Amino acid sequence: MAKLREAQKRLTRQLLLRAGLEQFQAKGYAATTVDDIANAAGTTRVTFYAYFPSRGALMKALIDEQLNEALARERSSEHGSTAHDLVATVAAGTREAIDAWVRRTVRSWPDIRPIIRIGRDAAVIEPALAHLVEKWMEEAISDVADGLTQADRFAPHQRHFKGVLAMAQLDYVAQNWGDADWKITREQMLDELVDSWVSLLV
C-alpha cells in the first residue's frame, strides 16, 4: 500500500510539472496562475500546494530536474550538477568526440528550449528565480573548464572563460535555431558549431 501511495505521489508531481510547463508555454509565466496549473493537471489548488509552495518552486523543479534529466546532468557536490559526458568530451579534445556530443545535445533542444525561455521570463517577475538559469549555465561552464583541466590544456586562468564562450555560443544557437533565418541548413549549423568548439577548446 505504501508503495502504491508513493507511486501516486510521483505521478501527481509529474502531472503538475508537465501541466506547469504547458501552461507557462501557452500563457506565459506572468499570466499563469496556480489554479491554471492545477486545473490542467486535473487536480486542485490544495493538491498543488501539497507538492509546491509556489509556482516559482515548480519552475525551480523544472530546471533542477527536467532540464538536468534532458541533458544527463547529475548532482555534483562541487558544482551543483555535472554532465560527465561533457567533461569527458572536452578532455578528449577530438573533433569526433565534440561532434558526437553536440549532435546528442542538439536532439534535446526541443525539450530544453522552453524550460530555459520560461526560466528567463520567470526571473523578470520573481527576483528569487533570477539566479536559476544562470546558475545552471555556470554549472555547464564549469564542466567545460573541468574537461580542459583534466586534459591540461590552456593556462588555468583561461579555462573558465573558454567555457563561458563555448556555452554562450551553444545557448544562443539553441535558443534561436528554427526561429532565425541564418541561411544555413541544420547540417551546416552543426558543422559550424562543432568547428567553432574545436577551434575554441582544442
Side-chain angles (χ1 to χ4, degrees), residues 98-131:
I98 291 171
D99 183 81
W101 185 86
V102 166
R103 287 173 185 276
R104 281 195 308 275
T105 301
V106 167
R107 286 195 292 271
S108 71
W109 284 357
D111 296 324
I112 68 173
R113 182 186 293 129
I115 298 173
I116 292 175
R117 284 183 176 174
I118 295 161
R120 287 178 172 148
D121 289 345
V124 176
I125 309 298
E126 297 190 41
L129 295 175
H131 71 288

PDB file of all heavy atoms in Angstrom, residues 98-131:
ATOM      1  N   ILE A  98      33.686  15.807 -29.910  1.00  0.00           N
ATOM      2  CA  ILE A  98      32.891  17.033 -29.814  1.00  0.00           C
ATOM      3  C   ILE A  98      31.688  16.960 -30.750  1.00  0.00           C
ATOM      4  O   ILE A  98      30.574  17.331 -30.374  1.00  0.00           O
ATOM      5  CB  ILE A  98      33.768  18.271 -30.095  1.00  0.00           C
ATOM      6  CG1 ILE A  98      34.767  18.455 -28.939  1.00  0.00           C
ATOM      7  CG2 ILE A  98      32.920  19.528 -30.279  1.00  0.00           C
ATOM      8  CD1 ILE A  98      35.831  19.512 -29.181  1.00  0.00           C
ATOM      9  N   ASP A  99      31.899  16.461 -31.958  1.00  0.00           N
ATOM     10  CA  ASP A  99      30.804  16.325 -32.916  1.00  0.00           C
ATOM     11  C   ASP A  99      29.702  15.429 -32.352  1.00  0.00           C
ATOM     12  O   ASP A  99      28.515  15.763 -32.430  1.00  0.00           O
ATOM     13  CB  ASP A  99      31.340  15.751 -34.232  1.00  0.00           C
ATOM     14  CG  ASP A  99      30.257  15.658 -35.297  1.00  0.00           C
ATOM     15  OD1 ASP A  99      29.978  16.685 -35.934  1.00  0.00           O
ATOM     16  OD2 ASP A  99      29.693  14.566 -35.479  1.00  0.00           O
ATOM     17  N   ALA A 100      30.077  14.289 -31.775  1.00  0.00           N
ATOM     18  CA  ALA A 100      29.086  13.358 -31.225  1.00  0.00           C
ATOM     19  C   ALA A 100      28.322  14.001 -30.075  1.00  0.00           C
ATOM     20  O   ALA A 100      27.090  13.873 -29.975  1.00  0.00           O
ATOM     21  CB  ALA A 100      29.778  12.072 -30.761  1.00  0.00           C
ATOM     22  N   TRP A 101      29.037  14.737 -29.190  1.00  0.00           N
ATOM     23  CA  TRP A 101      28.368  15.372 -28.046  1.00  0.00           C
ATOM     24  C   TRP A 101      27.414  16.469 -28.511  1.00  0.00           C
ATOM     25  O   TRP A 101      26.285  16.557 -28.035  1.00  0.00           O
ATOM     26  CB  TRP A 101      29.400  15.946 -27.069  1.00  0.00           C
ATOM     27  CG  TRP A 101      28.743  16.494 -25.837  1.00  0.00           C
ATOM     28  CD1 TRP A 101      28.409  15.806 -24.707  1.00  0.00           C
ATOM     29  CD2 TRP A 101      28.280  17.842 -25.633  1.00  0.00           C
ATOM     30  NE1 TRP A 101      27.774  16.640 -23.816  1.00  0.00           N
ATOM     31  CE2 TRP A 101      27.688  17.891 -24.359  1.00  0.00           C
ATOM     32  CE3 TRP A 101      28.322  18.993 -26.419  1.00  0.00           C
ATOM     33  CZ2 TRP A 101      27.140  19.060 -23.841  1.00  0.00           C
ATOM     34  CZ3 TRP A 101      27.775  20.160 -25.896  1.00  0.00           C
ATOM     35  CH2 TRP A 101      27.194  20.191 -24.627  1.00  0.00           C
ATOM     36  N   VAL A 102      27.853  17.302 -29.430  1.00  0.00           N
ATOM     37  CA  VAL A 102      26.996  18.390 -29.929  1.00  0.00           C
ATOM     38  C   VAL A 102      25.744  17.811 -30.573  1.00  0.00           C
ATOM     39  O   VAL A 102      24.633  18.290 -30.332  1.00  0.00           O
ATOM     40  CB  VAL A 102      27.768  19.301 -30.914  1.00  0.00           C
ATOM     41  CG1 VAL A 102      26.814  20.217 -31.683  1.00  0.00           C
ATOM     42  CG2 VAL A 102      28.807  20.138 -30.165  1.00  0.00           C
ATOM     43  N   ARG A 103      25.885  16.772 -31.374  1.00  0.00           N
ATOM     44  CA  ARG A 103      24.723  16.176 -32.039  1.00  0.00           C
ATOM     45  C   ARG A 103      23.740  15.581 -31.024  1.00  0.00           C
ATOM     46  O   ARG A 103      22.522  15.719 -31.184  1.00  0.00           O
ATOM     47  CB  ARG A 103      25.160  15.117 -33.060  1.00  0.00           C
ATOM     48  CG  ARG A 103      25.767  15.733 -34.300  1.00  0.00           C
ATOM     49  CD  ARG A 103      26.355  14.715 -35.262  1.00  0.00           C
ATOM     50  NE  ARG A 103      27.007  15.402 -36.364  1.00  0.00           N
ATOM     51  CZ  ARG A 103      26.374  15.850 -37.448  1.00  0.00           C
ATOM     52  NH1 ARG A 103      25.072  15.658 -37.582  1.00  0.00           N
ATOM     53  NH2 ARG A 103      27.041  16.482 -38.397  1.00  0.00           N
ATOM     54  N   ARG A 104      24.252  14.942 -29.980  1.00  0.00           N
ATOM     55  CA  ARG A 104      23.363  14.416 -28.931  1.00  0.00           C
ATOM     56  C   ARG A 104      22.623  15.560 -28.242  1.00  0.00           C
ATOM     57  O   ARG A 104      21.426  15.473 -27.964  1.00  0.00           O
ATOM     58  CB  ARG A 104      24.161  13.628 -27.895  1.00  0.00           C
ATOM     59  CG  ARG A 104      24.541  12.237 -28.292  1.00  0.00           C
ATOM     60  CD  ARG A 104      24.995  11.403 -27.096  1.00  0.00           C
ATOM     61  NE  ARG A 104      26.029  12.019 -26.291  1.00  0.00           N
ATOM     62  CZ  ARG A 104      27.336  11.947 -26.531  1.00  0.00           C
ATOM     63  NH1 ARG A 104      27.782  11.300 -27.597  1.00  0.00           N
ATOM     64  NH2 ARG A 104      28.205  12.517 -25.718  1.00  0.00           N
ATOM     65  N   THR A 105      23.348  16.624 -27.964  1.00  0.00           N
ATOM     66  CA  THR A 105      22.765  17.767 -27.255  1.00  0.00           C
ATOM     67  C   THR A 105      21.704  18.466 -28.102  1.00  0.00           C
ATOM     68  O   THR A 105      20.644  18.850 -27.594  1.00  0.00           O
ATOM     69  CB  THR A 105      23.870  18.754 -26.840  1.00  0.00           C
ATOM     70  OG1 THR A 105      24.809  18.066 -26.007  1.00  0.00           O
ATOM     71  CG2 THR A 105      23.301  19.940 -26.087  1.00  0.00           C
ATOM     72  N   VAL A 106      21.970  18.608 -29.390  1.00  0.00           N
ATOM     73  CA  VAL A 106      21.017  19.266 -30.282  1.00  0.00           C
ATOM     74  C   VAL A 106      19.686  18.518 -30.319  1.00  0.00           C
ATOM     75  O   VAL A 106      18.622  19.138 -30.397  1.00  0.00           O
ATOM     76  CB  VAL A 106      21.625  19.421 -31.696  1.00  0.00           C
ATOM     77  CG1 VAL A 106      20.568  19.807 -32.717  1.00  0.00           C
ATOM     78  CG2 VAL A 106      22.736  20.474 -31.674  1.00  0.00           C
ATOM     79  N   ARG A 107      19.736  17.200 -30.206  1.00  0.00           N
ATOM     80  CA  ARG A 107      18.484  16.420 -30.192  1.00  0.00           C
ATOM     81  C   ARG A 107      17.616  16.767 -28.979  1.00  0.00           C
ATOM     82  O   ARG A 107      16.403  16.572 -29.010  1.00  0.00           O
ATOM     83  CB  ARG A 107      18.790  14.916 -30.229  1.00  0.00           C
ATOM     84  CG  ARG A 107      19.253  14.426 -31.591  1.00  0.00           C
ATOM     85  CD  ARG A 107      19.187  12.912 -31.698  1.00  0.00           C
ATOM     86  NE  ARG A 107      20.146  12.248 -30.836  1.00  0.00           N
ATOM     87  CZ  ARG A 107      21.398  11.946 -31.173  1.00  0.00           C
ATOM     88  NH1 ARG A 107      21.868  12.271 -32.367  1.00  0.00           N
ATOM     89  NH2 ARG A 107      22.193  11.338 -30.319  1.00  0.00           N
ATOM     90  N   SER A 108      18.232  17.267 -27.916  1.00  0.00           N
ATOM     91  CA  SER A 108      17.463  17.614 -26.710  1.00  0.00           C
ATOM     92  C   SER A 108      16.930  19.046 -26.738  1.00  0.00           C
ATOM     93  O   SER A 108      16.178  19.437 -25.851  1.00  0.00           O
ATOM     94  CB  SER A 108      18.324  17.408 -25.454  1.00  0.00           C
ATOM     95  OG  SER A 108      19.342  18.395 -25.391  1.00  0.00           O
ATOM     96  N   TRP A 109      17.317  19.837 -27.740  1.00  0.00           N
ATOM     97  CA  TRP A 109      16.890  21.243 -27.779  1.00  0.00           C
ATOM     98  C   TRP A 109      15.381  21.431 -27.673  1.00  0.00           C
ATOM     99  O   TRP A 109      14.934  22.324 -26.944  1.00  0.00           O
ATOM    100  CB  TRP A 109      17.432  21.940 -29.026  1.00  0.00           C
ATOM    101  CG  TRP A 109      18.882  22.288 -28.935  1.00  0.00           C
ATOM    102  CD1 TRP A 109      19.720  22.093 -27.853  1.00  0.00           C
ATOM    103  CD2 TRP A 109      19.689  22.886 -29.950  1.00  0.00           C
ATOM    104  NE1 TRP A 109      20.989  22.525 -28.148  1.00  0.00           N
ATOM    105  CE2 TRP A 109      21.007  23.021 -29.422  1.00  0.00           C
ATOM    106  CE3 TRP A 109      19.422  23.326 -31.245  1.00  0.00           C
ATOM    107  CZ2 TRP A 109      22.043  23.576 -30.157  1.00  0.00           C
ATOM    108  CZ3 TRP A 109      20.471  23.880 -31.984  1.00  0.00           C
ATOM    109  CH2 TRP A 109      21.755  24.011 -31.441  1.00  0.00           C
ATOM    110  N   PRO A 110      14.553  20.642 -28.355  1.00  0.00           N
ATOM    111  CA  PRO A 110      13.103  20.865 -28.214  1.00  0.00           C
ATOM    112  C   PRO A 110      12.615  20.704 -26.770  1.00  0.00           C
ATOM    113  O   PRO A 110      11.620  21.325 -26.377  1.00  0.00           O
ATOM    114  CB  PRO A 110      12.495  19.795 -29.125  1.00  0.00           C
ATOM    115  CG  PRO A 110      13.564  19.508 -30.139  1.00  0.00           C
ATOM    116  CD  PRO A 110      14.862  19.622 -29.378  1.00  0.00           C
ATOM    117  N   ASP A 111      13.305  19.881 -25.970  1.00  0.00           N
ATOM    118  CA  ASP A 111      12.911  19.683 -24.571  1.00  0.00           C
ATOM    119  C   ASP A 111      13.444  20.780 -23.664  1.00  0.00           C
ATOM    120  O   ASP A 111      12.760  21.199 -22.724  1.00  0.00           O
ATOM    121  CB  ASP A 111      13.415  18.324 -24.055  1.00  0.00           C
ATOM    122  CG  ASP A 111      12.785  17.162 -24.790  1.00  0.00           C
ATOM    123  OD1 ASP A 111      11.589  17.258 -25.140  1.00  0.00           O
ATOM    124  OD2 ASP A 111      13.480  16.150 -25.027  1.00  0.00           O
ATOM    125  N   ILE A 112      14.665  21.246 -23.940  1.00  0.00           N
ATOM    126  CA  ILE A 112      15.278  22.207 -23.014  1.00  0.00           C
ATOM    127  C   ILE A 112      14.949  23.657 -23.331  1.00  0.00           C
ATOM    128  O   ILE A 112      14.884  24.491 -22.433  1.00  0.00           O
ATOM    129  CB  ILE A 112      16.808  22.011 -22.928  1.00  0.00           C
ATOM    130  CG1 ILE A 112      17.490  22.391 -24.244  1.00  0.00           C
ATOM    131  CG2 ILE A 112      17.169  20.605 -22.509  1.00  0.00           C
ATOM    132  CD1 ILE A 112      19.002  22.374 -24.179  1.00  0.00           C
ATOM    133  N   ARG A 113      14.720  23.958 -24.622  1.00  0.00           N
ATOM    134  CA  ARG A 113      14.479  25.349 -25.026  1.00  0.00           C
ATOM    135  C   ARG A 113      13.325  25.990 -24.245  1.00  0.00           C
ATOM    136  O   ARG A 113      13.488  27.097 -23.704  1.00  0.00           O
ATOM    137  CB  ARG A 113      14.236  25.424 -26.532  1.00  0.00           C
ATOM    138  CG  ARG A 113      14.029  26.867 -27.020  1.00  0.00           C
ATOM    139  CD  ARG A 113      13.655  26.898 -28.494  1.00  0.00           C
ATOM    140  NE  ARG A 113      14.759  26.456 -29.320  1.00  0.00           N
ATOM    141  CZ  ARG A 113      14.669  25.518 -30.268  1.00  0.00           C
ATOM    142  NH1 ARG A 113      13.528  24.910 -30.493  1.00  0.00           N
ATOM    143  NH2 ARG A 113      15.718  25.194 -30.989  1.00  0.00           N
ATOM    144  N   PRO A 114      12.145  25.352 -24.172  1.00  0.00           N
ATOM    145  CA  PRO A 114      11.054  26.033 -23.458  1.00  0.00           C
ATOM    146  C   PRO A 114      11.333  26.246 -21.978  1.00  0.00           C
ATOM    147  O   PRO A 114      10.940  27.272 -21.416  1.00  0.00           O
ATOM    148  CB  PRO A 114       9.848  25.106 -23.666  1.00  0.00           C
ATOM    149  CG  PRO A 114      10.375  23.830 -24.194  1.00  0.00           C
ATOM    150  CD  PRO A 114      11.708  24.106 -24.794  1.00  0.00           C
ATOM    151  N   ILE A 115      12.034  25.315 -21.335  1.00  0.00           N
ATOM    152  CA  ILE A 115      12.321  25.471 -19.910  1.00  0.00           C
ATOM    153  C   ILE A 115      13.251  26.655 -19.688  1.00  0.00           C
ATOM    154  O   ILE A 115      13.036  27.471 -18.780  1.00  0.00           O
ATOM    155  CB  ILE A 115      12.922  24.175 -19.329  1.00  0.00           C
ATOM    156  CG1 ILE A 115      11.914  23.023 -19.455  1.00  0.00           C
ATOM    157  CG2 ILE A 115      13.306  24.372 -17.867  1.00  0.00           C
ATOM    158  CD1 ILE A 115      12.463  21.661 -19.070  1.00  0.00           C
ATOM    159  N   ILE A 116      14.268  26.784 -20.512  1.00  0.00           N
ATOM    160  CA  ILE A 116      15.198  27.909 -20.361  1.00  0.00           C
ATOM    161  C   ILE A 116      14.499  29.234 -20.657  1.00  0.00           C
ATOM    162  O   ILE A 116      14.653  30.222 -19.932  1.00  0.00           O
ATOM    163  CB  ILE A 116      16.441  27.711 -21.248  1.00  0.00           C
ATOM    164  CG1 ILE A 116      17.270  26.533 -20.721  1.00  0.00           C
ATOM    165  CG2 ILE A 116      17.292  28.981 -21.277  1.00  0.00           C
ATOM    166  CD1 ILE A 116      18.451  26.157 -21.565  1.00  0.00           C
ATOM    167  N   ARG A 117      13.700  29.259 -21.722  1.00  0.00           N
ATOM    168  CA  ARG A 117      12.988  30.504 -22.057  1.00  0.00           C
ATOM    169  C   ARG A 117      12.034  30.915 -20.939  1.00  0.00           C
ATOM    170  O   ARG A 117      11.984  32.090 -20.549  1.00  0.00           O
ATOM    171  CB  ARG A 117      12.204  30.317 -23.357  1.00  0.00           C
ATOM    172  CG  ARG A 117      13.081  30.358 -24.592  1.00  0.00           C
ATOM    173  CD  ARG A 117      12.268  30.236 -25.858  1.00  0.00           C
ATOM    174  NE  ARG A 117      13.110  30.376 -27.040  1.00  0.00           N
ATOM    175  CZ  ARG A 117      12.690  30.206 -28.280  1.00  0.00           C
ATOM    176  NH1 ARG A 117      11.428  29.885 -28.510  1.00  0.00           N
ATOM    177  NH2 ARG A 117      13.514  30.350 -29.296  1.00  0.00           N
ATOM    178  N   ILE A 118      11.282  29.960 -20.424  1.00  0.00           N
ATOM    179  CA  ILE A 118      10.338  30.278 -19.345  1.00  0.00           C
ATOM    180  C   ILE A 118      11.088  30.687 -18.087  1.00  0.00           C
ATOM    181  O   ILE A 118      10.676  31.609 -17.375  1.00  0.00           O
ATOM    182  CB  ILE A 118       9.402  29.080 -19.071  1.00  0.00           C
ATOM    183  CG1 ILE A 118       8.507  28.815 -20.289  1.00  0.00           C
ATOM    184  CG2 ILE A 118       8.547  29.333 -17.835  1.00  0.00           C
ATOM    185  CD1 ILE A 118       7.888  27.429 -20.310  1.00  0.00           C
ATOM    186  N   GLY A 119      12.201  30.009 -17.809  1.00  0.00           N
ATOM    187  CA  GLY A 119      13.001  30.367 -16.640  1.00  0.00           C
ATOM    188  C   GLY A 119      13.480  31.805 -16.705  1.00  0.00           C
ATOM    189  O   GLY A 119      13.457  32.530 -15.708  1.00  0.00           O
ATOM    190  N   ARG A 120      13.888  32.237 -17.881  1.00  0.00           N
ATOM    191  CA  ARG A 120      14.345  33.622 -18.034  1.00  0.00           C
ATOM    192  C   ARG A 120      13.186  34.601 -17.925  1.00  0.00           C
ATOM    193  O   ARG A 120      13.326  35.691 -17.360  1.00  0.00           O
ATOM    194  CB  ARG A 120      15.110  33.777 -19.352  1.00  0.00           C
ATOM    195  CG  ARG A 120      16.484  33.115 -19.273  1.00  0.00           C
ATOM    196  CD  ARG A 120      17.275  33.176 -20.540  1.00  0.00           C
ATOM    197  NE  ARG A 120      18.636  32.695 -20.299  1.00  0.00           N
ATOM    198  CZ  ARG A 120      19.374  32.061 -21.191  1.00  0.00           C
ATOM    199  NH1 ARG A 120      18.910  31.848 -22.408  1.00  0.00           N
ATOM    200  NH2 ARG A 120      20.581  31.642 -20.890  1.00  0.00           N
ATOM    201  N   ASP A 121      12.029  34.227 -18.460  1.00  0.00           N
ATOM    202  CA  ASP A 121      10.835  35.068 -18.305  1.00  0.00           C
ATOM    203  C   ASP A 121      10.434  35.168 -16.837  1.00  0.00           C
ATOM    204  O   ASP A 121      10.079  36.245 -16.346  1.00  0.00           O
ATOM    205  CB  ASP A 121       9.655  34.504 -19.107  1.00  0.00           C
ATOM    206  CG  ASP A 121       9.844  34.670 -20.604  1.00  0.00           C
ATOM    207  OD1 ASP A 121      10.720  35.457 -21.017  1.00  0.00           O
ATOM    208  OD2 ASP A 121       9.102  34.015 -21.363  1.00  0.00           O
ATOM    209  N   ALA A 122      10.485  34.036 -16.150  1.00  0.00           N
ATOM    210  CA  ALA A 122      10.085  33.994 -14.738  1.00  0.00           C
ATOM    211  C   ALA A 122      10.990  34.864 -13.882  1.00  0.00           C
ATOM    212  O   ALA A 122      10.540  35.483 -12.914  1.00  0.00           O
ATOM    213  CB  ALA A 122      10.107  32.546 -14.234  1.00  0.00           C
ATOM    214  N   ALA A 123      12.268  34.930 -14.238  1.00  0.00           N
ATOM    215  CA  ALA A 123      13.229  35.714 -13.459  1.00  0.00           C
ATOM    216  C   ALA A 123      12.879  37.197 -13.453  1.00  0.00           C
ATOM    217  O   ALA A 123      13.189  37.911 -12.500  1.00  0.00           O
ATOM    218  CB  ALA A 123      14.632  35.500 -14.007  1.00  0.00           C
ATOM    219  N   VAL A 124      12.213  37.666 -14.512  1.00  0.00           N
ATOM    220  CA  VAL A 124      11.800  39.073 -14.581  1.00  0.00           C
ATOM    221  C   VAL A 124      10.687  39.347 -13.574  1.00  0.00           C
ATOM    222  O   VAL A 124      10.620  40.415 -12.973  1.00  0.00           O
ATOM    223  CB  VAL A 124      11.329  39.420 -16.015  1.00  0.00           C
ATOM    224  CG1 VAL A 124      10.796  40.839 -16.084  1.00  0.00           C
ATOM    225  CG2 VAL A 124      12.475  39.221 -17.007  1.00  0.00           C
ATOM    226  N   ILE A 125       9.818  38.355 -13.385  1.00  0.00           N
ATOM    227  CA  ILE A 125       8.665  38.508 -12.488  1.00  0.00           C
ATOM    228  C   ILE A 125       9.040  38.246 -11.033  1.00  0.00           C
ATOM    229  O   ILE A 125       8.587  38.936 -10.126  1.00  0.00           O
ATOM    230  CB  ILE A 125       7.536  37.510 -12.889  1.00  0.00           C
ATOM    231  CG1 ILE A 125       7.222  37.590 -14.375  1.00  0.00           C
ATOM    232  CG2 ILE A 125       6.295  37.696 -12.040  1.00  0.00           C
ATOM    233  CD1 ILE A 125       6.721  38.921 -14.836  1.00  0.00           C
ATOM    234  N   GLU A 126       9.867  37.223 -10.826  1.00  0.00           N
ATOM    235  CA  GLU A 126      10.220  36.810  -9.467  1.00  0.00           C
ATOM    236  C   GLU A 126      11.740  36.867  -9.302  1.00  0.00           C
ATOM    237  O   GLU A 126      12.441  35.970  -9.766  1.00  0.00           O
ATOM    238  CB  GLU A 126       9.704  35.394  -9.194  1.00  0.00           C
ATOM    239  CG  GLU A 126       8.187  35.294  -9.248  1.00  0.00           C
ATOM    240  CD  GLU A 126       7.674  33.968  -8.739  1.00  0.00           C
ATOM    241  OE1 GLU A 126       8.219  33.483  -7.729  1.00  0.00           O
ATOM    242  OE2 GLU A 126       6.741  33.440  -9.343  1.00  0.00           O
ATOM    243  N   PRO A 127      12.239  37.904  -8.643  1.00  0.00           N
ATOM    244  CA  PRO A 127      13.689  38.056  -8.481  1.00  0.00           C
ATOM    245  C   PRO A 127      14.357  36.838  -7.839  1.00  0.00           C
ATOM    246  O   PRO A 127      15.521  36.561  -8.109  1.00  0.00           O
ATOM    247  CB  PRO A 127      13.814  39.293  -7.577  1.00  0.00           C
ATOM    248  CG  PRO A 127      12.565  40.064  -7.849  1.00  0.00           C
ATOM    249  CD  PRO A 127      11.489  39.036  -8.103  1.00  0.00           C
ATOM    250  N   ALA A 128      13.617  36.096  -7.018  1.00  0.00           N
ATOM    251  CA  ALA A 128      14.195  34.910  -6.378  1.00  0.00           C
ATOM    252  C   ALA A 128      14.602  33.854  -7.400  1.00  0.00           C
ATOM    253  O   ALA A 128      15.429  32.987  -7.115  1.00  0.00           O
ATOM    254  CB  ALA A 128      13.197  34.314  -5.385  1.00  0.00           C
ATOM    255  N   LEU A 129      14.016  33.928  -8.592  1.00  0.00           N
ATOM    256  CA  LEU A 129      14.337  32.962  -9.636  1.00  0.00           C
ATOM    257  C   LEU A 129      15.458  33.447 -10.552  1.00  0.00           C
ATOM    258  O   LEU A 129      15.916  32.700 -11.420  1.00  0.00           O
ATOM    259  CB  LEU A 129      13.091  32.685 -10.495  1.00  0.00           C
ATOM    260  CG  LEU A 129      11.915  31.997  -9.808  1.00  0.00           C
ATOM    261  CD1 LEU A 129      10.739  31.911 -10.770  1.00  0.00           C
ATOM    262  CD2 LEU A 129      12.296  30.617  -9.325  1.00  0.00           C
ATOM    263  N   ALA A 130      15.887  34.677 -10.364  1.00  0.00           N
ATOM    264  CA  ALA A 130      16.819  35.294 -11.309  1.00  0.00           C
ATOM    265  C   ALA A 130      18.101  34.489 -11.482  1.00  0.00           C
ATOM    266  O   ALA A 130      18.674  34.438 -12.564  1.00  0.00           O
ATOM    267  CB  ALA A 130      17.153  36.713 -10.867  1.00  0.00           C
ATOM    268  N   HIS A 131      18.542  33.866 -10.426  1.00  0.00           N
ATOM    269  CA  HIS A 131      19.818  33.159 -10.497  1.00  0.00           C
ATOM    270  C   HIS A 131      19.695  31.749 -11.077  1.00  0.00           C
ATOM    271  O   HIS A 131      20.704  31.142 -11.427  1.00  0.00           O
ATOM    272  CB  HIS A 131      20.417  33.047  -9.092  1.00  0.00           C
ATOM    273  CG  HIS A 131      19.669  32.081  -8.228  1.00  0.00           C
ATOM    274  ND1 HIS A 131      18.416  32.355  -7.724  1.00  0.00           N
ATOM    275  CD2 HIS A 131      19.992  30.827  -7.821  1.00  0.00           C
ATOM    276  CE1 HIS A 131      18.003  31.314  -7.020  1.00  0.00           C
ATOM    277  NE2 HIS A 131      18.932  30.386  -7.063  1.00  0.00           N
TER     278      HIS A 131
END
